[in-house]
Amino acid sequence: NIWLMPLSLHNKKIIISAGSSGIGWATAKVCLSKGAIVYLCDIDIKSLKKIQKHPLNNKRLFSYECDASDEFEVSDLFNKIRKKTNKIDALINNVGIAGPTGNLEKLSSEDWEKTLKINVISHFYFTRLAIPMLKKNKNGSIINISSGAGIMGFPLRSPYAASKWAIIGVTKTLAMELGKYKIRVNAICPGTIKGDRMVRVIRDKAKFLKISKKIIEKDFVSMASMNCWIYEEDIGKMCSFLISSDGERISGQTIPVDGNATRLD
Protein backbone atom coordinates (compact mmCIF):
# COMPACT_ATOMS: atom_id res chain seq x y z
CA ASN A 1 0.00 0.00 0.00
CA ILE A 2 1.63 3.27 -1.13
CA TRP A 3 -0.05 5.15 1.75
CA LEU A 4 2.15 3.26 4.25
CA MET A 5 5.46 4.32 2.69
CA PRO A 6 7.89 6.36 4.84
CA LEU A 7 7.52 10.13 4.43
CA SER A 8 10.73 10.61 2.45
CA LEU A 9 9.31 13.70 0.72
CA HIS A 10 8.04 15.37 3.90
CA ASN A 11 6.84 18.91 3.02
CA LYS A 12 8.75 18.94 -0.27
CA LYS A 13 6.99 21.22 -2.74
CA ILE A 14 6.60 19.74 -6.20
CA ILE A 15 5.15 21.15 -9.44
CA ILE A 16 3.85 18.62 -11.99
CA SER A 17 2.70 19.56 -15.50
CA ALA A 18 -0.15 17.53 -17.04
CA GLY A 19 -0.73 16.18 -13.56
CA SER A 20 -4.41 15.27 -13.43
CA SER A 21 -4.29 11.89 -15.19
CA GLY A 22 -1.91 9.19 -16.42
CA ILE A 23 1.72 9.31 -15.31
CA GLY A 24 1.26 12.82 -13.86
CA TRP A 25 -1.55 11.86 -11.49
CA ALA A 26 0.08 8.54 -10.54
CA THR A 27 3.24 10.50 -9.68
CA ALA A 28 1.27 13.08 -7.71
CA LYS A 29 -0.32 10.30 -5.63
CA VAL A 30 3.04 8.65 -4.89
CA CYS A 31 4.55 12.01 -3.86
CA LEU A 32 1.55 12.90 -1.68
CA SER A 33 1.77 9.51 0.03
CA LYS A 34 5.36 10.34 0.98
CA GLY A 35 4.43 13.67 2.55
CA ALA A 36 4.92 16.10 -0.35
CA ILE A 37 2.92 19.20 -1.20
CA VAL A 38 1.90 19.01 -4.87
CA TYR A 39 0.98 21.79 -7.30
CA LEU A 40 -0.33 20.28 -10.50
CA CYS A 41 -1.83 21.67 -13.66
CA ASP A 42 -3.65 20.28 -16.66
CA ILE A 43 -5.63 21.38 -19.70
CA ASP A 44 -8.22 18.65 -19.06
CA ILE A 45 -11.00 20.27 -17.01
CA LYS A 46 -12.88 16.98 -16.55
CA SER A 47 -9.97 15.22 -14.82
CA LEU A 48 -9.18 18.37 -12.79
CA LYS A 49 -12.73 18.34 -11.41
CA LYS A 50 -12.24 14.77 -10.18
CA ILE A 51 -9.03 15.78 -8.40
CA GLN A 52 -10.77 18.67 -6.70
CA LYS A 53 -12.77 16.05 -4.78
CA HIS A 54 -9.57 14.48 -3.42
CA PRO A 55 -9.39 14.61 0.42
CA LEU A 56 -6.02 16.45 0.33
CA ASN A 57 -7.22 19.11 -2.14
CA ASN A 58 -6.45 22.63 -0.86
CA LYS A 59 -4.37 21.22 2.00
CA ARG A 60 -1.40 19.51 0.34
CA LEU A 61 -2.71 19.26 -3.21
CA PHE A 62 -3.36 22.29 -5.40
CA SER A 63 -4.69 21.93 -8.94
CA TYR A 64 -4.86 24.52 -11.71
CA GLU A 65 -6.14 24.70 -15.25
CA CYS A 66 -3.32 25.54 -17.68
CA ASP A 67 -2.44 25.01 -21.32
CA ALA A 68 1.25 24.12 -20.97
CA SER A 69 1.96 25.15 -24.57
CA ASP A 70 0.73 28.71 -23.95
CA GLU A 71 3.52 30.86 -22.48
CA PHE A 72 1.09 33.35 -20.94
CA GLU A 73 -0.97 30.65 -19.22
CA VAL A 74 2.20 29.07 -17.81
CA SER A 75 3.31 32.47 -16.53
CA ASP A 76 -0.11 32.98 -14.91
CA LEU A 77 0.13 29.51 -13.31
CA PHE A 78 3.48 30.37 -11.72
CA ASN A 79 2.07 33.67 -10.44
CA LYS A 80 -0.64 31.65 -8.65
CA ILE A 81 1.85 29.16 -7.22
CA ARG A 82 4.16 31.96 -6.04
CA LYS A 83 1.27 33.33 -3.96
CA LYS A 84 1.45 30.08 -1.97
CA THR A 85 5.23 29.53 -1.92
CA ASN A 86 8.31 31.38 -3.17
CA LYS A 87 10.47 28.28 -3.42
CA ILE A 88 10.00 24.71 -4.61
CA ASP A 89 11.91 21.44 -4.27
CA ALA A 90 11.10 19.86 -7.62
CA LEU A 91 9.63 20.33 -11.06
CA ILE A 92 8.35 17.35 -13.03
CA ASN A 93 7.97 18.20 -16.72
CA ASN A 94 5.44 15.56 -17.65
CA VAL A 95 3.35 17.22 -20.36
CA GLY A 96 3.44 15.56 -23.76
CA ILE A 97 1.37 14.22 -26.64
CA ALA A 98 1.78 11.12 -28.78
CA GLY A 99 1.82 13.04 -32.07
CA PRO A 100 0.82 11.58 -35.43
CA THR A 101 1.47 8.05 -36.74
CA GLY A 102 2.85 7.65 -40.26
CA ASN A 103 5.87 7.76 -42.55
CA LEU A 104 7.68 11.09 -42.35
CA GLU A 105 7.00 12.16 -45.95
CA LYS A 106 3.25 11.85 -45.36
CA LEU A 107 3.12 13.87 -42.13
CA SER A 108 1.93 17.48 -41.99
CA SER A 109 3.99 20.48 -40.85
CA GLU A 110 1.16 21.32 -38.47
CA ASP A 111 1.40 17.93 -36.70
CA TRP A 112 5.18 18.21 -36.42
CA GLU A 113 5.03 21.73 -35.01
CA LYS A 114 2.29 20.87 -32.51
CA THR A 115 4.22 17.83 -31.23
CA LEU A 116 7.41 19.84 -30.71
CA LYS A 117 5.54 22.80 -29.22
CA ILE A 118 3.89 20.67 -26.54
CA ASN A 119 6.63 18.10 -25.95
CA VAL A 120 9.66 20.42 -25.94
CA ILE A 121 8.80 24.12 -25.78
CA SER A 122 6.30 23.62 -22.93
CA HIS A 123 9.14 22.15 -20.86
CA PHE A 124 11.15 25.30 -21.56
CA TYR A 125 8.31 27.54 -20.31
CA PHE A 126 8.01 25.60 -17.05
CA THR A 127 11.71 25.12 -16.42
CA ARG A 128 12.64 28.74 -16.99
CA LEU A 129 10.13 29.89 -14.36
CA ALA A 130 10.90 27.05 -11.92
CA ILE A 131 14.69 27.58 -11.82
CA PRO A 132 14.58 30.79 -9.68
CA MET A 133 12.26 29.00 -7.20
CA LEU A 134 14.65 26.03 -7.03
CA LYS A 135 17.67 28.33 -6.62
CA LYS A 136 16.05 29.86 -3.52
CA ASN A 137 16.19 26.39 -2.01
CA LYS A 138 19.90 26.00 -2.86
CA ASN A 139 18.89 22.46 -3.74
CA GLY A 140 16.29 20.69 -5.80
CA SER A 141 15.40 18.43 -8.68
CA ILE A 142 14.10 18.81 -12.21
CA ILE A 143 12.75 15.65 -13.82
CA ASN A 144 11.96 15.62 -17.52
CA ILE A 145 9.75 12.81 -18.77
CA SER A 146 11.28 11.59 -22.02
CA SER A 147 10.58 8.14 -23.47
CA GLY A 148 12.13 4.97 -24.83
CA ALA A 149 11.76 6.96 -28.07
CA GLY A 150 14.32 9.40 -26.62
CA ILE A 151 17.06 6.75 -26.67
CA MET A 152 16.00 4.64 -29.68
CA GLY A 153 14.45 5.23 -33.09
CA PHE A 154 10.66 4.86 -33.30
CA PRO A 155 9.38 4.08 -36.83
CA LEU A 156 6.14 5.84 -37.84
CA ARG A 157 6.51 8.28 -34.92
CA SER A 158 9.30 10.63 -36.08
CA PRO A 159 8.04 13.90 -34.49
CA TYR A 160 7.52 12.14 -31.16
CA ALA A 161 11.02 10.61 -31.30
CA ALA A 162 12.54 13.99 -32.25
CA SER A 163 10.82 15.67 -29.30
CA LYS A 164 11.89 13.00 -26.81
CA TRP A 165 15.52 13.02 -27.97
CA ALA A 166 15.42 16.83 -27.58
CA ILE A 167 14.43 16.40 -23.94
CA ILE A 168 17.58 14.31 -23.34
CA GLY A 169 19.74 17.10 -24.78
CA VAL A 170 18.06 19.73 -22.59
CA THR A 171 18.44 17.47 -19.53
CA LYS A 172 22.20 16.94 -20.04
CA THR A 173 22.76 20.65 -20.68
CA LEU A 174 20.70 21.85 -17.71
CA ALA A 175 22.45 19.43 -15.37
CA MET A 176 25.72 21.15 -16.31
CA GLU A 177 24.28 24.65 -15.97
CA LEU A 178 22.60 24.06 -12.61
CA GLY A 179 25.02 21.73 -10.84
CA LYS A 180 26.69 24.60 -8.96
CA TYR A 181 23.32 25.43 -7.37
CA LYS A 182 22.93 21.79 -6.19
CA ILE A 183 19.98 21.43 -8.59
CA ARG A 184 19.85 17.98 -10.13
CA VAL A 185 18.38 17.41 -13.58
CA ASN A 186 17.46 13.96 -14.87
CA ALA A 187 15.30 12.41 -17.57
CA ILE A 188 13.10 9.36 -17.09
CA CYS A 189 12.34 7.24 -20.14
CA PRO A 190 9.15 5.24 -19.56
CA GLY A 191 8.66 2.05 -21.54
CA THR A 192 5.33 0.66 -22.70
CA ILE A 193 2.95 2.15 -20.13
CA LYS A 194 -0.34 0.45 -19.39
CA GLY A 195 -2.84 3.27 -19.82
CA ASP A 196 -5.14 5.33 -22.04
CA ARG A 197 -2.39 6.89 -24.15
CA MET A 198 -0.95 3.50 -25.11
CA VAL A 199 -4.44 2.31 -26.06
CA ARG A 200 -4.57 5.18 -28.59
CA VAL A 201 -1.03 4.53 -29.87
CA ILE A 202 -1.84 0.83 -30.41
CA ARG A 203 -5.12 1.73 -32.14
CA ASP A 204 -3.38 4.17 -34.52
CA LYS A 205 -0.54 1.78 -35.37
CA ALA A 206 -2.97 -1.10 -35.96
CA LYS A 207 -5.03 1.11 -38.26
CA PHE A 208 -1.95 2.29 -40.17
CA LEU A 209 -0.54 -1.24 -40.62
CA LYS A 210 -4.01 -2.76 -41.14
CA ILE A 211 -3.48 -5.50 -38.53
CA SER A 212 -5.25 -6.30 -35.28
CA LYS A 213 -4.78 -4.28 -32.09
CA LYS A 214 -4.09 -7.55 -30.22
CA ILE A 215 -1.03 -8.28 -32.40
CA ILE A 216 0.31 -4.72 -31.93
CA GLU A 217 -0.26 -4.89 -28.16
CA LYS A 218 1.56 -8.23 -27.87
CA ASP A 219 4.43 -6.86 -29.97
CA PHE A 220 4.82 -3.75 -27.76
CA VAL A 221 5.03 -5.87 -24.60
CA SER A 222 7.59 -8.19 -26.24
CA MET A 223 9.92 -5.24 -26.84
CA ALA A 224 11.06 -5.47 -23.19
CA SER A 225 13.32 -8.27 -21.91
CA MET A 226 10.97 -8.60 -18.94
CA ASN A 227 8.05 -9.04 -21.36
CA CYS A 228 5.86 -6.81 -19.24
CA TRP A 229 3.84 -3.63 -19.16
CA ILE A 230 5.20 -0.69 -17.17
CA TYR A 231 2.72 0.95 -14.79
CA GLU A 232 2.21 4.67 -14.31
CA GLU A 233 3.04 4.27 -10.62
CA ASP A 234 6.49 2.87 -11.56
CA ILE A 235 7.35 6.28 -13.00
CA GLY A 236 6.01 8.01 -9.88
CA LYS A 237 8.26 5.87 -7.68
CA MET A 238 11.34 6.76 -9.73
CA CYS A 239 10.40 10.46 -9.57
CA SER A 240 10.00 10.32 -5.79
CA PHE A 241 13.38 8.57 -5.44
CA LEU A 242 15.15 11.25 -7.54
CA ILE A 243 13.50 14.07 -5.56
CA SER A 244 14.32 12.50 -2.17
CA SER A 245 17.67 12.70 -0.37
CA ASP A 246 18.32 9.14 -1.61
CA GLY A 247 18.92 10.61 -5.06
CA GLU A 248 20.91 13.70 -4.06
CA ARG A 249 24.04 12.78 -6.08
CA ILE A 250 22.23 11.75 -9.27
CA SER A 251 22.19 14.31 -12.08
CA GLY A 252 22.47 14.48 -15.84
CA GLN A 253 21.18 10.94 -16.21
CA THR A 254 18.84 9.28 -18.67
CA ILE A 255 16.99 6.63 -16.67
CA PRO A 256 14.85 4.08 -18.50
CA VAL A 257 11.98 2.51 -16.54
CA ASP A 258 11.04 0.04 -19.23
CA GLY A 259 11.74 -3.58 -18.23
CA ASN A 260 14.85 -3.33 -20.45
CA ALA A 261 13.27 -2.38 -23.76
CA THR A 262 15.56 -3.40 -26.62
CA ARG A 263 13.60 -2.09 -29.60
CA LEU A 264 10.70 0.14 -30.60
CA ASP A 265 9.82 -1.16 -34.06
Side-chain angles (χ1 to χ4, degrees):
N1 187 330
I2 63 168
W3 298 104
L4 299 177
M5 289 175 180
L7 299 179
S8 56
L9 300 181
H10 183 62
N11 284 345
K12 286 197 181 289
K13 294 170 180 174
I14 301 167
I15 295 174
I16 306 175
S17 66
S20 72
S21 63
I23 288 172
W25 179 232
T27 300
K29 286 190 287 186
V30 170
C31 293
L32 287 165
S33 75
K34 295 184 176 217
I37 298 163
V38 173
Y39 305 88
L40 63 80
C41 71
D42 212 297
I43 198 170
D44 183 350
I45 298 166
K46 199 174 168 185
S47 58
L48 280 172
K49 279 184 176 162
K50 281 184 194 168
I51 280 168
Q52 279 155 9
K53 292 171 184 164
H54 191 279
L56 291 177
N57 194 51
N58 285 325
K59 296 182 188 76
R60 306 184 75 80
L61 171 63
F62 302 91
S63 53
Y64 306 90
E65 185 187 343
C66 176
D67 176 353
S69 69
D70 184 316
E71 187 173 5
F72 297 103
E73 287 198 27
V74 177
S75 180
D76 187 49
L77 167 72
F78 273 80
N79 285 338
K80 288 171 184 167
I81 293 172
R82 279 194 293 263
K83 284 176 183 165
K84 296 189 181 296
T85 179
N86 67 345
K87 59 185 181 180
I88 59 168
D89 297 274
L91 167 69
I92 301 172
N93 280 313
N94 171 62
V95 68
I97 58 169
T101 298
N103 292 312
L104 187 142
E105 72 268 24
K106 300 279 173 64
L107 300 178
S108 72
S109 303
E110 189 184 354
D111 279 344
W112 257 85
E113 286 166 17
K114 184 181 178 185
T115 305
L116 292 173
K117 173 90 169 160
I118 294 172
N119 292 11
V120 182
I121 297 174
S122 295
H123 288 214
F124 161 67
Y125 295 153
F126 275 78
T127 306
R128 183 175 57 172
L129 292 169
I131 288 169
M133 299 176 81
L134 288 160
K135 279 182 176 175
K136 281 183 181 160
N137 241 350
K138 299 184 174 64
N139 194 311
S141 179
I142 296 171
I143 298 168
N144 297 320
I145 304 298
S146 179
S147 166
I151 47 180
M152 290 183 272
F154 197 2
L156 306 179
R157 298 284 301 288
S158 53
Y160 182 78
S163 72
K164 294 303 184 177
W165 276 81
I167 292 307
I168 303 298
V170 172
T171 298
K172 298 273 184 190
T173 302
L174 266 182
M176 296 164 82
E177 288 183 8
L178 299 176
K180 62 187 171 189
Y181 303 105
K182 299 290 181 282
I183 297 169
R184 313 178 299 284
V185 189
N186 294 288
I188 295 176
C189 296
T192 305
I193 298 279
K194 184 95 172 156
D196 291 342
R197 186 186 290 182
M198 207 62 215
V199 168
R200 293 193 294 273
V201 168
I202 288 165
R203 179 199 65 202
D204 292 348
K205 189 173 181 181
K207 191 176 170 186
F208 182 84
L209 295 175
K210 297 182 172 62
I211 54 179
S212 82
K213 287 187 280 191
K214 213 75 186 153
I215 291 169
I216 298 289
E217 187 175 327
K218 195 175 174 185
D219 190 46
F220 266 117
V221 173
S222 77
M223 290 173 187
S225 301
M226 292 179 71
N227 207 42
C228 64
W229 286 104
I230 307 303
Y231 293 91
E232 292 161 346
E233 193 181 283
D234 294 329
I235 311 306
K237 287 173 185 173
M238 180 55 76
C239 287
S240 75
F241 170 75
L242 291 170
I243 295 166
S244 77
S245 58
D246 291 341
E248 66 187 357
R249 300 286 178 271
I250 302 171
S251 190
Q253 300 308 302
T254 303
I255 304 168
V257 180
D258 63 4
N260 188 38
T262 53
R263 61 185 178 87
L264 270 180
D265 58 351

